[in-house]
Amino acid sequence: MQDYVAAFYGGYDQIAGVRLSRLNIPWMALALAVAAVVLVVLVAADVSALEDRPPIVQVTSISWYAEGYLLVAGAGFTIHGSSSFQIPLQCSGFCLPWNGATVNSPFQLLNFSVQYHSVQYTNVTIRAPSSSYDGPLSITLELP
């Protein structure tokens, strides 16, 4: 159907005169392309997460010493590098007033405190090394 008035005024009923052809892409190829893009994005995210993972510090055992004598020994644990953790020592019998503590290298002592109640608690806060470590943790308590 053609509008004769429109043809008289220059054919404004004709739109650009060119018809766009529709791309004939099979839906299966489109689905595979989207799945491939999603897979590449997920693999890239996993690789970057693995590269940013902090080192693992494996403490094989914890030993408490005083004046060169072993007081208590315990099992170890695993922690991420540069993390801080607190370890308590409980004393309910004959307890000594500790003045301070030191830890073996590469660990760093952050805080030392003693709480005197019916049971004495000696608490140390320690920072793990920033690099991988596999070995024991030794805490030496100092007498006044």
Side-chain angles (χ1 to χ4, degrees):
M1 176 169 155
Q2 186 172 357
D3 184 3
Y4 293 107
V5 175
F8 177 76
Y9 288 108
Y12 58 84
D13 65 337
Q14 306 283 327
I15 300 175
V18 178
R19 186 165 241 179
L20 294 175
S21 64
R22 185 172 178 211
L23 294 176
N24 202 5
I25 300 174
W27 67 272
M28 184 62 101
L30 183 63
L32 286 174
V34 169
V37 168
V38 169
L39 182 65
V40 166
V41 168
L42 290 176
V43 167
D46 284 345
V47 167
S48 71
L50 286 175
E51 289 175 352
D52 295 338
R53 200 165 70 183
I56 300 295
V57 174
Q58 175 69 41
V59 177
T60 55
S61 65
I62 303 169
S63 301
W64 293 78
Y65 293 95
E67 297 289 318
Y69 295 102
L70 177 65
L71 299 175
V72 179
F77 56 91
T78 302
I79 194 168
H80 291 293
S82 298
S83 297
S84 61
F85 54 94
Q86 186 176 23
I87 302 176
L89 176 65
Q90 178 181 344
C91 175
S92 59
F94 178 71
C95 302
L96 297 173
W98 307 116
N99 193 29
T102 58
V103 294
N104 65 315
S105 180
F107 294 96
Q108 178 185 9
L109 180 69
L110 297 178
N111 190 18
F112 170 81
S113 66
V114 178
Q115 298 174 354
Y116 299 102
H117 296 290
S118 57
V119 176
Q120 176 180 335
Y121 289 98
T122 303
N123 299 306
V124 291
T125 304
I126 300 170
R127 181 178 316 273
S130 59
S131 59
S132 295
Y133 177 78
D134 189 359
L137 169 62
S138 298
I139 305 167
T140 304
L141 297 172
E142 300 169 356
L143 291 171

